[in-house]
């Protein structure tokens, strides 16, 4: 799920992750499992598995019941553990009841800071502290865990390469820009970049599990976090405890295929927003839904041709607006704020409202979105928050997505198919199509990604896992939940949430209670059971 994002939002609702379709597949930076033959000695990871986390109160937090911060050291390259290490930032809320272990959270993205999300937005998870230390972390390449960057320009100067007619007349110019973008990311990211990706993050999670003192991993993953949980189940089936996945990701579709699904899902969400907006006399696009859809598409085109000046002496383009819409539409709770922001843009040329949604660069389907929050100060060995690159989130999102996808289009495929692909994406969404296509193409010029997820993450032999899919999810279509459950095998139990928005735990009382019942008490709903839609979201201002 790709689009514009910021690390955390004041709204408690789903918001994070997915991407792109069709005739070209793309992928990512080498993140495979260590390759060893039967005669090769296994790398010695003993020193990493003997760690214990030294927790201390996060700076500025309440020493009695506030979050604690810590770190875990992992090998840069699991095939060569002596070749370097990196430190992963952790945060936790301690168990308030009788502790049965730890529960690890991943909020989605990929590229979101788990430390920031948990320390500034942990209220939804306090019920789980009845039995667990609730823990999250910044995955490798993210936040304070050796953050990657593309030089504070995540697209290497090519944010709308797929969105202009000039690129169709000169596809080779697209290739040059894509190559430059990949080079900039490699230049600014350091040694972690070739070792980023979900396969290695899953191995990091097992080191974290042991460092927390747990025999089994108890886990709650949102959106992209469901991909991470599934990979862990395939790599460490005998270490799986209670695992719940909300907003389930695909394990088989290429980034290109995900992109079309993402564009179509975002278009449906936009249409739903406009149906709601036109019922209010303050809607900046009038009171007719069909006309409103045409007006939004016209606004994006006009801003691409003639960007609007911003309060910070920059320019806000139509593609910037699309990124802001991508972010805001993940949750109905944001609709009133989005309506006001769009009214200020249309009526006064004021970009501040929509810029607030667009801050951060790429939309992440995950759990929350909102204004950026500072992370707790770093412990020894971690990057200080002020040194985290401003483009870390979008840079990490692209790096991880590309690393997890084994496809790479050739230059010939791109030049031959660019026009047809753009038509395919624009058919899926006249507003979001070009934006999604650009994001897919950005894997060009990067090393080929792993095929482990597509080939090996299936038929897992684990205890039962709870998978939650939402019917109206604009980022992770419900069909992905069904497909992933079938692929994982009898271990997967599906809960059908007949609601709207991306992920369900923060917005549906029914889903929230069923996930908590499973994680706290081991009580599973029958596979195929459902939660009904809940009203009251997106009330008119």
């Amino acid at each position: 799920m790709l689009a514009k994002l910021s690390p955390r939002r004041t709204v408690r609702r789903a918001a994070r992750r997915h991407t792109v379709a069709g005739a070209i597949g793309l992928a990512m930076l080498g993140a495979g499992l260590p390759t060893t033959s039967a005669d090769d000695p296994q790398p010695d990871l003993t020193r990493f598995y003997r760690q214990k986390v030294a927790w201390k109160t996060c700076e500025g937090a309440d020493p009695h019941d506030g979050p604690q911060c810590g770190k875990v050291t992992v090998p840069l390259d699991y095939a060569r553990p002596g070749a370097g290490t990196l430190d992963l930032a952790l945060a936790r809320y301690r168990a308030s009841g009788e502790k049965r272990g730890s529960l690890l959270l991943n909020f989605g993205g990929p590229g979101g800071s788990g430390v920031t999300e948990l320390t500034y937005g942990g209220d939804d998870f306090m019920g789980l502290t009845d039995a667990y230390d609730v823990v999250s972390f910044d995955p490798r390449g993210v936040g304070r865990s050796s953050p990657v960057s593309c030089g504070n320009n995540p697209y290497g100067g090519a944010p709308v390469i797929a969105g202009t007619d000039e690129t169709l007349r000169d596809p080779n110019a697209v290739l040059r820009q894509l190559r430059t973008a990949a080079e900039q990311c490699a230049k600014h990211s350091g040694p972690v970049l070739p070792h980023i990706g979900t396969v290695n993050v899953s191995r990091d999670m097992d080191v974290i599990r042991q460092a927390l003192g747990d025999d089994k991993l108890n886990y709650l993953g949102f959106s992209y976090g469901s991909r991470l949980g599934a990979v862990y189940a395939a790599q460490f089936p005998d270490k799986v405890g209670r695992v719940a996945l909300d907003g389930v990701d695909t394990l088989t579709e290429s980034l290109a295929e995900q992109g079309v699904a993402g564009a179509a899902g975002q278009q449906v969400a936009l249409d739903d927003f406009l149906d709601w907006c036109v019922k209010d006399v303050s809607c900046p696009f009038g009171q007719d839904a069909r006309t409103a859809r045409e007006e939004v598409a016209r606004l994006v085109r006009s801003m691409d041709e003639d960007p609007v000046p911003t309060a910070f002496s920059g320019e806000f383009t139509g593609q910037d607006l699309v990124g802001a819409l991508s972010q805001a539409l993940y949750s109905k709770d944001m609709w009133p704020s989005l309506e006001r922001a769009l009214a200020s843009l249309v009526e006064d040329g004021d970009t501040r409202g929509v810029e607030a949604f667009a801050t951060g660069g790429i939309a992440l389907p995950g759990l929350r979105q909102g204004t950026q929050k500072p992370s707790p100060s770093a412990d020894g060995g971690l990057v200080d928050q002020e040194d985290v690159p401003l483009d870390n989130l979008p840079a990490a999102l692209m790096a991880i997505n590309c690393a997890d996808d084994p496809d790479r289009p050739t230059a010939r495929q791109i030049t031959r198919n660019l026009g047809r692909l753009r038509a395919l994406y624009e058919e899926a969404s006249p507003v979001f199509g070009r934006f999604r296509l650009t994001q897919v193409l950005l894997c060009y010029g990067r090393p080929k990604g792993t095929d482990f997820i597509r080939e090996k993450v299936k038929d897992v032999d684990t205890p039962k896992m709870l998978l939650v899919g939402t019917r109206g999810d604009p980022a992770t279509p419900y069909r992905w939940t069904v497909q992933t459950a079938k692929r994982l095998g009898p271990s997967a139990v599906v809960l059908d949430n007949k609601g709207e928005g991306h992920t369900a735990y923060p917005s549906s009382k029914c889903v929230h209670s069923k996930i908590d019942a499973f994680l706290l008490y081991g009580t599973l709903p029958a596979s195929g059971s459902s939660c009904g839609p809940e009203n009251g979201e997106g009330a008119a201002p």
Side-chain angles (χ1 to χ4, degrees):
M1 207 115 18
L2 305 153
K4 288 223 170 189
L5 145 79
S6 75
R8 171 170 179 343
R9 206 124 282 198
T10 52
V11 176
R12 294 183 186 175
R13 275 270 342 248
R16 307 197 178 214
R17 201 307 3 101
H18 286 74
T19 357
V20 219
I24 63 179
L26 317 180
M28 176 132 189
L29 313 159
L33 288 170
T35 55
T36 58
S37 71
D39 298 326
D40 289 334
Q42 294 296 314
D44 183 5
L45 302 175
T46 304
R47 68 187 180 103
F48 300 102
Y49 276 90
R50 285 180 174 169
Q51 296 176 83
K52 297 298 178 186
V53 182
W55 295 104
K56 66 180 183 180
T57 302
C58 298
E59 184 173 330
D62 187 316
H64 300 292
D65 59 5
Q68 293 183 319
C69 291
K71 69 174 181 177
V72 163
T73 301
V74 296
L76 180 67
D77 181 352
Y78 276 91
R80 299 185 303 128
T85 64
L86 54 89
D87 293 325
L88 305 179
L90 307 178
R92 76 168 179 179
Y93 281 95
R94 290 160 288 182
S96 58
E98 184 176 349
K99 180 180 173 181
R100 71 177 305 269
S102 303
L103 177 74
L104 193 63
L105 303 179
N106 182 279
F107 293 93
S113 166
V115 170
T116 300
E117 294 284 357
L118 183 63
T119 54
Y120 289 96
D123 290 353
D124 280 339
F125 308 98
M126 290 301 99
L128 295 169
T129 61
D130 288 348
Y132 296 104
D133 285 345
V134 176
V135 182
S136 194
F137 69 110
D138 286 357
R140 56 173 61 207
V142 173
R144 294 190 291 119
S145 301
S146 300
V148 295
S149 172
C150 295
N152 284 332
N153 187 344
Y155 302 116
V160 293
I161 52 176
T164 61
D165 293 332
E166 288 77 9
T167 60
L168 297 182
R169 290 192 291 268
D170 185 12
N172 287 322
V174 176
L175 300 180
R176 289 192 295 271
Q177 292 181 20
L178 292 171
R179 179 73 67 181
T180 298
E183 291 171 353
Q184 287 297 307
C185 295
K187 174 182 177 181
H188 291 279
S189 292
V192 70
L193 190 59
H195 305 286
I196 205 169
T198 301
V199 172
N200 278 330
V201 174
S202 170
R203 303 195 72 177
D204 293 342
M205 288 207 307
D206 198 57
V207 175
I208 292 172
R209 172 197 60 76
Q210 184 70 25
L212 295 174
D214 295 330
D215 293 331
K216 304 284 186 179
L217 179 74
N218 302 302
Y219 177 78
L220 175 55
F222 298 95
S223 193
Y224 160 77
S226 70
R227 186 200 310 173
L228 180 56
V231 170
Y232 184 89
Q235 287 183 295
F236 304 99
D238 59 332
K239 298 299 182 183
V240 171
R242 294 175 183 172
V243 170
L245 310 176
D246 183 7
V248 180
D249 202 353
T250 178
L251 299 176
T252 57
E253 292 187 7
S254 67
L255 284 180
E257 293 167 324
Q258 294 176 47
V260 168
Q266 288 291 304
Q267 185 65 48
V268 170
L270 176 62
D271 291 347
D272 289 344
F273 163 74
L274 292 173
D275 287 342
W276 169 86
C277 182
V278 296
K279 296 175 184 177
D280 178 37
V281 293
S282 299
C283 183
F285 304 111
Q287 274 63 61
D288 180 79
R290 180 178 177 180
T291 302
R293 291 173 175 75
E294 296 171 352
E295 286 297 318
V296 171
R298 187 177 299 115
L299 177 63
V300 170
R301 289 194 300 270
S302 67
M303 290 178 62
D304 274 337
E305 296 170 359
D306 187 14
V308 178
T310 71
F312 304 101
S313 301
E315 291 184 336
F316 198 79
T317 69
Q319 297 307 299
D320 292 329
L321 176 59
V322 173
L325 291 171
S326 296
Q327 195 165 233
L329 291 171
Y330 280 121
S331 170
K332 287 185 177 180
D333 290 339
M334 289 188 258
W335 285 7
S337 297
L338 177 61
E339 180 187 19
R340 291 191 292 270
L342 289 169
S344 294
L345 174 66
V346 171
E347 296 166 8
D348 303 318
D350 186 348
T351 64
R352 288 174 295 180
V354 286
E355 282 185 273
F357 288 110
T359 301
I362 283 197
L364 289 202
L367 183 59
R368 305 161 191 273
Q369 297 181 331
T371 53
Q372 283 189 318
K373 295 283 187 178
S375 289
S377 295
D379 296 313
L382 298 172
V383 173
D384 288 330
Q385 176 61 23
E386 57 267 26
D387 293 328
V388 176
L390 294 176
D391 72 324
N392 174 238
L393 176 62
L397 185 150
M398 287 309 308
I400 295 167
N401 280 338
C402 293
D404 286 0
D405 192 300
D407 300 326
R408 278 299 178 276
T410 64
R412 182 178 179 182
Q413 287 173 321
I414 290 179
T415 56
R416 185 178 63 224
N417 294 323
L418 185 58
R420 183 164 61 86
L421 279 173
R422 199 180 85 166
L424 177 67
Y425 274 70
E426 289 185 332
E427 181 180 358
S429 171
V431 173
F432 299 97
R434 296 182 182 186
F435 188 79
R436 298 284 182 168
L437 177 56
T438 294
Q439 292 170 334
V440 170
L441 294 176
L442 284 169
C443 287
Y444 177 80
R446 295 174 183 253
K448 182 180 179 180
T450 181
D451 61 4
F452 179 84
I453 298 172
R454 198 176 294 176
E455 299 296 328
K456 302 296 185 182
V457 183
K458 59 184 177 180
D459 302 322
V460 298
D461 183 15
T462 68
K464 297 291 187 181
M465 299 183 289
L466 179 59
L467 279 61
V468 181
T470 297
R471 292 283 179 167
D473 193 319
T476 49
Y478 181 77
R479 62 181 172 83
W480 285 355
T481 301
V482 176
Q483 292 169 358
T484 297
K486 183 177 180 180
R487 184 173 176 83
L488 293 178
S491 297
V493 173
V494 172
L495 176 62
D496 179 356
N497 178 42
K498 300 182 185 299
E500 304 291 330
H502 182 44
T503 75
Y505 187 81
S507 59
S508 167
K509 293 179 181 178
C510 174
V511 171
H512 197 290
S513 64
K514 289 185 183 297
I515 288 179
D516 280 4
F518 171 56
L519 294 174
L520 292 170
Y521 311 114
T523 304
L524 270 170
S527 191
S529 60
S530 64
C531 284
E534 297 184 15
N535 298 321
E537 297 174 317

